[in-house]
Amino acid sequence: MNSDLITILRQNHALEHATISLLTKTLEANVRISGKSTFDGFYIYGNVHSKAVREAATESLVRLKGGERELAVSPHCGTNIVTAGIMAGVACLIALGGKNRGQRLPLAIMVATGAILASQPVGNAVQKHLTTSSSLSDVSIKRITRRGSRSRTLYKIETAREQAIPAD
């Protein structure tokens, strides 16, 4: 995969996290919201007003460009779930070893639990360094569209990259 496409996806992932973070601070406690990043932007799923989505996405872009990198990392990201699964699986594999697996089950449970506890900071580090990029200096919001009904609302936030002007 092209490294430019990976960078674009990482940037959109960061902007998605930041947008959801700002939205959740203004929403009612019972409103469920989620997102998904793509190469041309990201989706927000949830019963949210269009104005709130537009304001949160715009403010998120400004704040990320202003250096608020922590907005790019979310404790609710799927990266954390995958990291926890991998760490727990590897810990169990090591703990169970080859023989006497039945006797090692309590050890496997203990190390899997420890791996899951350790996975939150590791997952955040994976997000920070691999699955998001808070460097959005060339990113702009191109368009925000809303689809669906009140109970099943989907927003597509399309992003664009500003092209550098070649030197003469």
Side-chain angles (χ1 to χ4, degrees):
M1 184 177 283
N2 183 328
S3 66
D4 288 342
L5 288 177
I6 292 171
T7 298
I8 289 168
L9 188 59
R10 291 178 67 216
Q11 290 172 326
N12 289 337
H13 195 196
L15 186 55
E16 171 212 328
H17 283 180
T19 300
I20 289 174
S21 176
L22 295 183
L23 275 172
T24 57
K25 291 177 182 175
T26 62
L27 296 175
E28 298 173 18
N30 63 346
V31 174
R32 293 179 48 104
I33 188 169
S34 63
K36 178 185 177 210
S37 301
T38 64
F39 292 109
D40 64 343
F42 61 97
Y43 292 94
I44 298 287
Y45 304 90
N47 184 15
V48 185
H49 292 288
S50 298
K51 181 181 176 187
V53 172
R54 183 173 309 284
E55 288 174 355
T58 303
E59 182 180 345
S60 294
L61 184 58
V62 168
R63 289 174 66 174
L64 284 167
K65 284 182 176 185
E68 292 186 54
R69 293 185 168 142
E70 68 280 358
L71 289 172
V73 177
S74 170
H76 308 293
C77 181
T79 299
N80 289 3
I81 296 167
V82 171
T83 301
I86 291 169
M87 290 178 67
V90 170
C92 282
L93 184 65
I94 292 168
L96 289 173
K99 296 183 178 182
N100 301 322
R101 289 184 180 175
Q103 292 174 349
R104 293 180 170 213
L105 185 58
L107 176 62
I109 292 169
M110 185 178 71
V111 297
T113 302
I116 290 169
L117 291 171
S119 70
Q120 184 72 35
V122 173
N124 286 344
V126 170
Q127 285 182 66
K128 182 177 180 181
H129 299 291
L130 294 176
T131 64
T132 68
S133 172
S134 58
S135 175
L136 281 83
S137 60
D138 64 337
V139 177
S140 62
I141 295 173
K142 182 177 169 183
R143 174 181 27 242
I144 300 175
T145 54
R146 180 181 189 262
R147 298 181 208 149
S149 65
R150 187 170 183 353
S151 62
R152 299 181 78 103
T153 306
L154 162 70
Y155 290 92
K156 171 68 178 194
I157 295 85
E158 294 178 56
T159 57
R161 303 304 168 285
E162 300 162 3
Q163 299 296 320
I165 300 171
D168 289 332

